[in-house]
Amino acid sequence: MIPLELLAPAKNLACGIAAVDHGADAVYIGAQRFGARAAAGNSIEDIHHLCDYAHQFAVKVYVTVNTIIYDDETDATEQLIHQLADIGVDAILVQDMGILQMNLPPIPLHASTQTDNRSAEKVKWLSELGFQRVVLARELSVDEIAAIHREIPDMPLEVFVHGALCVSYSGLCYASQYCFNRSANRGSCAQFCRMKFDLIDADGHEIEHQRHLLSLKDMNQIDHLEELIQAGATSFKIEGRLKDVSYVKNVVAAYSQRLDAIIAKHADEYCRASQGHCTYSFTPNLNKTFNRGFTTYFLHGRQPDIFSPDTPKAMGEYVGYVKEIRRDSFNVAGTASFANGDGLCFINQERELEGFRVNRAEGNRLYPQQMPQHLHAGMALYRNNDQDFERLLSRQSSERKIPVAMYVDTTDDGFSLAVGEVKVSIVCEHQQAEKPQQENIIRQLSKLGGTPYECVKVGFPDDFNYFIPSSFLSELRHLIVKELQTSEKSACFRPEKRLLSTRKEATFTPKSTTFLRESYELNISNRLARDFYTRQGLSALIPAFELTHQRNALLMQCKHCLRYSLGFCVKHGGQKPQWREPLVLRLGDGRRFRLDFDCKNCQMNVYAAD
């Protein structure tokens, strides 16, 4: 049986608990420092609390330590990793290879997508270094994932399935650092790719004016999970460590239900990686949660309509079109129902997103707080805040329980209660019952409220006919719950001591590194990382972009291509462009960025034009 893992984001402890409650098999969360989302840090105490809660259901907790690290931070990073190991964290996500040179506790390392994992040789190299899992680049197709799995079948592969997309390959985006001195590799991305640009040709002609040309739609692979499973992926990651609790609840529930449906079809091949089933008080709907429109990205190769040039903001679900407008209201043609307080939006004739709040809804006639100036009949309308749905999610919206079958039996001096291999007993006089007692015993043992368990069956020997006082049954129940919780926590993965020595040996043994470019793209920002790459046989090492100024630097490497997206890629059936290259992106403040179209690798590169 192959365990499948739904991996959910947690901005904080509340989001982490919500993820567990709504069906996650694992949760990833940032500590106070060194996570690739600087705005989503958490204390050791909160992460410890999350581990204790999650491990009741055999749900794992991974912590992101996936920024590049400076020399004066290496000791603090090592100390943090030891603290995380001490509280029971199941793995850490890593970008900086200097971490492999540290005196680490025996905790599994996952290679973050920030290490740019898009080839079989890179994944094989990471495997040889002792990584326990690799998070693949978002840009890979299902065929490319399958090819990597065939090449390195023993390496667990984690893939993104939902949420926001970076336009550059992760770990290779330096635009935010270059423009704003805010490093994406240090967790402080300024979201350069969500900004407006002009697109200008070599003769100064403006092809596009002030559009969000690098802003991608959000990924949504819920209808393609089975393909990803068959390709060899076993962990399915939802992006969103800056998202709120309602986002986590809705998206995790939707994907958990879909995974369960797939496993039900292949019950002899797959299982969930954690325990428990969820009962929801709402129907998950991905369209009702923050999204910029959805795309499957490059899952089946290059596809049109993957970017969102009109707005980088959430538009939400389509709810109909504007039918008729009055002075203070309008009506909507469509089947959606509305509530007071709903947030609606539309793209105006200037191709700008406009939003407004519904003050009063009377059927399909809506009275905004203030009539939108540019709203016209015939315009498509979207809802990016559904009050009724948010109200449902603001309450307890799921309960997760582990079904248990109990078996009662006698011992020499009392009675025992077993759940699988877990068994407890009490000393109690054997009293023959004057009337049947099994119903009362079942009722008393089934009182598992406030625990992660629900009793689905109580079994007895055929000749069982004893009276057990309720107080003794209560004691048996408490004992079995305590023992189950202890056994569940101990059953969660705890790394062997040998992991540390194996990893050390791997880092000191040079591997084949011909696929690595000796440039600032290695993100070497500390002495330990330099030592690591020196041991791997590299010599002409260049410091990280954050530590040196590079003229005409390569700032982004993008699978997204503006030639293609604007309909001018002849290779893929587009029309021949009339412009003269090189093309330039220009920010509103006048800063310019040269585009290079690497057609051999089907990639668009963005260069600084200084």
Side-chain angles (χ1 to χ4, degrees), residues 89-105:
V89 164
D90 298 282
I92 59 170
L93 283 85
V94 170
Q95 175 187 188
D96 196 314
M97 292 298 164
I99 288 177
L100 274 69
Q101 300 290 106
M102 295 177 181
N103 179 26
L104 296 179

Side-chain angles (χ1 to χ4, degrees), residues 27-200:
V27 177
Y28 66 103
I29 189 170
Q32 286 179 319
R33 299 177 67 187
F34 313 123
R37 295 289 184 275
N42 294 273
S43 68
I44 291 293
E45 291 74 22
D46 279 357
I47 297 172
H48 192 179
H49 188 161
L50 179 58
C51 287
D52 286 346
Y53 187 81
H55 288 167
Q56 296 178 100
F57 301 96
V59 171
K60 293 183 178 179
V61 176
Y62 309 139
V63 175
T64 55
V65 189
N66 59 339
T67 62
I68 60 172
I69 299 158
Y70 293 156
D71 276 320
D72 61 356
E73 298 169 330
T74 56
D75 289 346
T77 304
E78 185 175 308
Q79 181 182 14
L80 172 65
I81 295 170
H82 278 271
Q83 290 175 315
L84 294 171
D86 289 343
I87 63 173
V89 164
D90 298 282
I92 59 170
L93 283 85
V94 170
Q95 175 187 188
D96 196 314
M97 292 298 164
I99 288 177
L100 274 69
Q101 300 290 106
M102 295 177 181
N103 179 26
L104 296 179
I107 187 170
L109 302 183
H110 294 180
S112 169
T113 190
Q114 299 293 119
T115 54
D116 185 29
N117 309 318
R118 51 176 140 156
S119 69
E121 54 188 351
K122 181 67 172 287
V123 173
K124 186 173 187 294
W125 179 66
L126 291 166
S127 174
E128 291 170 343
L129 291 173
F131 282 92
Q132 303 283 297
R133 179 187 293 185
V134 170
V135 187
L136 295 179
R138 295 168 174 88
E139 292 81 359
L140 295 183
S141 70
V142 70
D143 291 338
E144 289 171 320
I145 294 168
I148 290 172
H149 176 63
R150 285 194 300 271
E151 189 84 11
I152 313 101
D154 295 332
M155 171 58 80
L157 301 178
E158 181 179 307
V159 295
F160 281 90
V161 293
H162 198 90
L165 288 164
C166 298
V167 72
S168 176
Y169 282 98
S170 292
L172 301 180
C173 182
Y174 308 101
S176 179
Q177 173 68 29
Y178 175 79
C179 291
F180 310 108
N181 200 32
R182 289 175 53 180
S183 168
N185 284 318
R186 297 272 295 163
S188 299
C189 176
Q191 298 209 316
F192 173 87
C193 58
R194 305 296 180 188
M195 295 179 176
K196 287 182 178 180
F197 299 94
D198 301 322
L199 182 63
I200 301 167

